[in-house]
Amino acid sequence: MNRIQKTFDSLKEKNEKALVGFVTAGDPNISESLKIIKAMCKAGLDILELGIPFSDPTADGPVIQRSSGRAIANGMTLKIALDMTRQIRQETDIPMILFSYYNPIHAYGNKAFYEDAVSSGADGVLIVDLPPEESDEMTSTWSGKELSLIRLIAPTTPVARMKSIADSASGFLYLVSKTGVTGSDGLNTGDVGTHIRTLRSVARLPICVGFGISTAEDVASVASVADGIVIGSAYERLIEENLNHADLPGLLAERTSIYKAATRITR
Amino acid sequence: MNFFNISGYPDAKGHFGAFGGRYVAETLMPALLELEQAYRTIVPTPEFQKELNYLMHHYVGRPTPLFYAKRLSEHLGGAAIYLKREDLAHTGAHKINNTLGQTLLAQRMGKRKVIAETGAGQHGVATATTAALFGMECKVFMGTEDIQRQAPNVQRMKLLGAEVVPVSSGTGTLKDAMNEALRYWVGAVQDTFYVIGSVAGPHPYPVMVRDFQKIIGEEARAQIFAMCQRLPTTLIACVGGGSNSMGLFYPFLNDPVEILGVEAAGKGVKTGKHAATLTAGSVGVLHGSKSYLLQDANGQIIEAHSISAGLDYPGVGPEHSMLKEAKRVRYESIEDGQALEAFQTLCALEGIIPALESSHALAQAMIEARKRPKSDILMVCLSGRGDKDLGIVASALKKGESA
Ligand SMILES: Cc1ncc(COP(=O)(O)O)c(C=O)c1O
């Protein structure tokens, strides 16, 4: 059984939902970024989404745009992100998802990317701008099935399309909470609940919800309907607002344990 | 010369051979599928075509003339140069052919709001214009650098009732404006139509924009037969995203005609400060399609440089990438200084002020004309008028004098 499935199974037994944390690899710099991620893992993060920065992130709001900018300015590349993945894997067993846009992966080479991602200990990949219609060119070069292909479902996705996307996905499904870029506000849990019910009627995989979730209250309310909650911009905002803080890893760890507590369902 | 069979492109998923496609976030996929459906079912209908043709004639002023540039040709002493006068279209550039088509389609789809990205401001002005014509709400995303260097067009857009949204990320140029327009569209996709300004972006934009622009080549083909009773020897057009060039080239792809696309070499291809995507770039994915682009070894996009805002873009339409690989079109590049020289030459010899974008095509035509016999016919797309560029030309010439 793979790490992703194992994680969702064991959370279910504990009556918890998955806390999925997104941070940009190399923000604010490579060594600090490693410390931040390790601290978040120790503080109870269930799944790590490691963002590989792209110069033109068209699905991201200003917070993640700026974090990508900082990381690239500090020399972040996909190759270095894979090295970081390898180092993080030595200290944790949680699933790691590589999150990016297609161009950095295409430039690295699809086949080499698969091999290096698997050997570094990554469990899945989510490529924002690679819909099912275009992903064969990448997956057809893969020599195995050890990387889950996490797919996005949007509020605009019609139900028939939800089904075909779900059929081609593995690991879990990532439901975008609202039509908008990352970090936009206006989370509506009622709408999220409706979309989840529709999605569940055509999909078996666990469903994680992301975009615009920032407070522990948001986490708790989404946790009542979803299998996992993705936090991205809120973490990146915390990093950005505390770039000169003496203990950035500690801040991120503290925030992680607050979010994690909100994923435990009280019956 | 390589002949090219144009039938069969793009395929059902919008691929031009190895290029094109739809590389976008899931939120936009349903909108693109809906748009493709609308484009296939609404645009070919007689009602749509009738209204489009009516407006192309009475509003845009088509057909635009094909003009024999006699003094320029004689001055160069070689081939005859014919100019396809898109500068005489309403709003002063070819861009309106496309915005009229897309805005009319948006209206037929029941959308009340349009957005656009713009570099030189010509596409923004053209979108604001057709939005006003149909009584639609219009937002135009424009880089802060371009707002500076194309100030007259910013004023025009505002007068036409559009909101100009300044984009300061990146270098504040066309690429960044397109990023921001895409981001805005992700949030507003349910009631907003995105009018993309070139043959770039995700499917169906490259094919749709080319189809709205191919009127340039269709007219020019009939006009040259009427004037000279034969095909031109060579077609020449500038390539930013690639819409005026695809519009001119497309109806000639199966003809025995040489075709030249001209990119912006900025300060020189060797300096790295250029926008010569097909000449010096490599294949990747940007703004929803796979094509040649300017990128580093890690797949990060490199900023483009050109004196001409409309060519200052690190990508290019996917159909051009296919035509390059098929060797059907040859791509050359022209530096800022050469374009400025061509700009002045046309002003002085023909009384026509060309856009800086178009001046790149002219500069290439001047090089070619000198090398060729008088019997050769070079057909150049004069994609736009240069009034918008007077400020930048004046300051570039001043800098040149003091240097
Ligand atoms: C007059 C003119 N010509 C050419 C271009 C370049 O665009 P394309 O390559 O799509 O024709 C522009 C773009 O703004 C323009 O304004």
Side-chain angles (χ1 to χ4, degrees):
Chain A
M1 193 169 24
N2 71 34
R3 288 189 201 102
I4 298 176
Q5 207 180 331
K6 225 189 261 174
T7 297
F8 281 102
D9 286 353
S10 83
L11 286 168
K12 201 166 199 171
E13 274 169 29
K14 292 190 283 184
N15 226 358
E16 292 178 17
K17 299 301 174 73
L19 176 66
V20 185
F22 167 96
V23 285
T24 303
D27 179 27
N29 58 57
I30 294 164
S31 68
E32 192 75 355
S33 176
L34 266 175
K35 283 183 207 149
I36 288 172
I37 292 163
K38 288 174 183 172
M40 288 167 70
C41 293
K42 284 210 183 84
L45 194 69
D46 295 308
I47 297 176
L48 172 68
E49 262 186 27
L50 190 63
I52 292 134
F54 178 48
S55 53
D56 295 80
T58 51
D60 285 298
V63 173
I64 293 182
Q65 286 173 45
R66 287 192 299 263
S67 93
S68 306
R70 284 192 297 272
I72 292 172
N74 284 326
M76 196 61 210
T77 64
L78 174 51
K79 189 173 180 321
I80 300 174
L82 290 168
D83 289 343
M84 287 175 66
T85 307
R86 192 168 286 117
Q87 292 181 54
I88 300 162
R89 179 50 77 221
Q90 284 163 4
E91 301 198 8
T92 177
D93 261 339
I94 71 167
M96 289 193 281
I97 313 297
L98 302 173
F99 183 104
S100 194
Y101 289 77
Y102 186 43
N103 203 51
I105 292 167
H106 180 266
Y108 191 91
N110 288 328
K111 188 171 151 60
F113 169 73
Y114 176 84
E115 284 155 15
D116 297 350
V118 170
S119 78
S120 71
D123 301 282
V125 56
L126 197 172
I127 305 170
V128 195
D129 58 351
L130 195 68
E133 281 84 349
E134 303 292 350
S135 63
D136 281 357
E137 71 170 51
M138 177 180 77
T139 50
S140 65
T141 69
W142 289 4
S143 55
K145 291 192 169 163
E146 288 173 69
L147 269 191
S148 292
L149 200 55
I150 315 295
R151 298 270 197 210
L152 292 166
I153 306 278
T156 50
T157 310
V159 63
R161 185 173 168 83
M162 280 184 179
K163 179 166 169 28
S164 74
I165 293 175
D167 289 347
S168 74
S170 51
F172 61 88
L173 290 167
Y174 187 137
L175 177 68
V176 176
S177 68
K178 59 182 299 271
T179 54
V181 292
T182 55
S184 13
D185 44 36
L187 179 71
N188 181 329
T189 359
D191 285 355
V192 171
T194 311
H195 291 308
I196 289 185
R197 271 190 299 281
T198 314
L199 182 52
R200 287 215 200 276
S201 71
V202 294
R204 290 231 178 99
L205 290 172
I207 299 168
C208 296
V209 177
F211 282 39
I213 303 175
S214 62
T215 65
E217 292 74 48
D218 294 343
V219 172
S221 74
V222 175
S224 66
V225 287
D227 303 307
I229 299 91
V230 190
I231 310 270
S233 296
Y235 277 129
E236 286 299 340
R237 199 175 297 117
L238 191 61
I239 293 177
E240 179 165 57
E241 284 168 359
N242 295 281
L243 286 172
N244 297 316
H245 194 280
D247 184 19
L248 205 42
L251 279 184
L252 275 278
E254 185 191 355
R255 181 69 71 87
T256 299
S257 49
I258 294 170
Y259 288 144
K260 184 57 211 169
T263 70
R264 300 195 174 100
I265 323 272
T266 41
R267 269 185 297 185
Chain B
M1 193 178 318
N2 260 304
F3 291 102
F4 193 78
N5 183 1
I6 55 173
S7 60
Y9 296 106
D11 70 9
K13 287 181 180 173
H15 294 124
F16 294 89
F19 305 101
R22 264 180 300 232
Y23 296 83
V24 296
E26 174 58 22
T27 309
L28 296 181
M29 275 305 290
L32 291 174
L33 295 167
E34 180 200 354
L35 174 60
E36 187 193 355
Q37 177 71 13
Y39 157 72
R40 294 212 181 286
T41 55
I42 299 174
V43 174
T45 58
E47 301 77 54
F48 186 95
Q49 288 298 322
K50 194 172 158 215
E51 182 158 9
L52 184 63
N53 290 338
Y54 177 88
L55 290 168
M56 282 289 200
H57 183 58
H58 296 281
Y59 188 70
V60 177
R62 304 206 71 89
T64 57
L66 182 68
F67 175 68
Y68 170 47
K70 186 159 177 282
R71 293 194 66 216
L72 177 65
S73 306
E74 283 170 359
H75 168 74
L76 297 168
I81 295 180
Y82 283 76
L83 304 174
K84 179 59 175 162
R85 299 288 309 275
E86 292 302 296
D87 60 314
L88 293 176
H90 181 40
T91 71
H94 69 291
K95 296 285 179 186
I96 195 153
N97 303 329
N98 169 44
T99 65
L100 187 61
Q102 285 197 50
T103 315
L104 190 58
L105 180 59
Q107 192 214 33
R108 294 296 163 91
M109 289 170 73
K111 310 267 177 183
R112 303 299 313 147
K113 299 178 184 173
V114 295
I115 57 167
E117 83 294 335
T118 198
Q122 288 302 122
H123 174 60
V125 167
T127 308
T129 299
T130 50
L133 179 66
F134 293 113
M136 292 169 132
E137 223 178 274
C138 177
K139 265 193 198 359
V140 180
F141 295 83
M142 187 170 188
T144 45
E145 162 78 16
D146 290 339
I147 287 178
Q148 291 272 325
R149 58 179 167 171
Q150 308 277 264
N153 276 342
V154 178
Q155 277 186 329
R156 292 167 81 196
M157 286 184 269
K158 288 183 179 163
L159 279 171
L160 291 161
E163 181 192 346
V164 179
V165 184
V167 178
S168 58
S169 54
T171 43
T173 59
L174 182 53
K175 167 187 82 114
D176 311 296
M178 189 147 178
N179 285 341
E180 213 49 44
L182 280 165
R183 287 182 189 119
Y184 179 86
W185 199 35
V186 170
V189 64
Q190 274 132 332
D191 66 353
T192 300
F193 187 106
Y194 182 10
V195 182
I196 291 184
S198 194
V199 289
H203 181 61
Y205 285 99
V207 62
M208 177 170 67
V209 176
R210 179 254 277 160
D211 282 354
F212 287 135
Q213 290 292 2
K214 71 182 179 198
I215 191 165
I216 301 174
E218 287 169 351
E219 286 175 4
R221 199 169 182 284
Q223 288 165 323
I224 198 73
F225 271 108
M227 291 166 89
C228 305
Q229 293 78 49
R230 64 179 179 98
L231 283 166
T233 321
T234 306
L235 306 176
I236 304 177
C238 68
V239 180
S243 66
N244 84 88
S245 49
M246 267 327 299
L248 177 67
F249 299 168
Y250 187 73
F252 291 93
L253 285 178
N254 286 338
D255 290 326
V257 167
E258 178 193 27
I259 307 183
L260 268 176
V262 185
E263 299 190 296
K267 296 183 157 76
V269 170
K270 289 203 182 89
T271 65
K273 294 200 176 305
H274 62 82
T277 311
L278 289 159
T279 309
S282 55
V283 178
V285 171
L286 176 68
H287 294 155
S289 69
K290 185 186 267 190
S291 196
Y292 275 80
L293 44 91
L294 301 178
Q295 60 183 330
D296 68 16
N298 297 307
Q300 308 296 356
I301 307 306
I302 295 174
E303 283 145 3
H305 286 270
S306 170
I307 191 169
S308 137
L311 304 182
D312 201 351
Y313 181 65
V316 67
E319 195 165 8
H320 281 289
S321 291
M322 178 181 74
L323 293 170
K324 172 193 155 82
E325 300 237 316
K327 295 194 164 57
R328 178 62 187 99
V329 178
R330 192 174 100 219
Y331 293 90
E332 299 284 350
S333 61
I334 286 290
E335 295 181 9
D336 290 349
Q338 296 171 286
L340 275 169
E341 225 178 278
F343 177 98
Q344 292 168 279
T345 306
L346 196 72
C347 290
L349 292 182
E350 300 289 355
I352 297 171
I353 303 175
L356 277 175
E357 290 79 13
S358 325
S359 301
H360 286 71
L362 274 172
Q364 186 68 38
M366 287 164 60
I367 294 173
E368 300 293 330
R370 286 196 177 97
K371 295 193 293 205
R372 294 167 187 242
K374 289 196 161 64
S375 56
D376 273 17
I377 297 175
L378 309 184
M379 185 189 273
V380 180
C381 188
L382 199 73
S383 56
R385 55 191 284 168
D387 307 49
K388 69 185 177 62
D389 295 315
L390 297 185
I392 196 156
V393 169
S395 73
L397 294 179
K398 208 159 146 202
K399 234 188 255 165
E401 274 165 21
S402 60

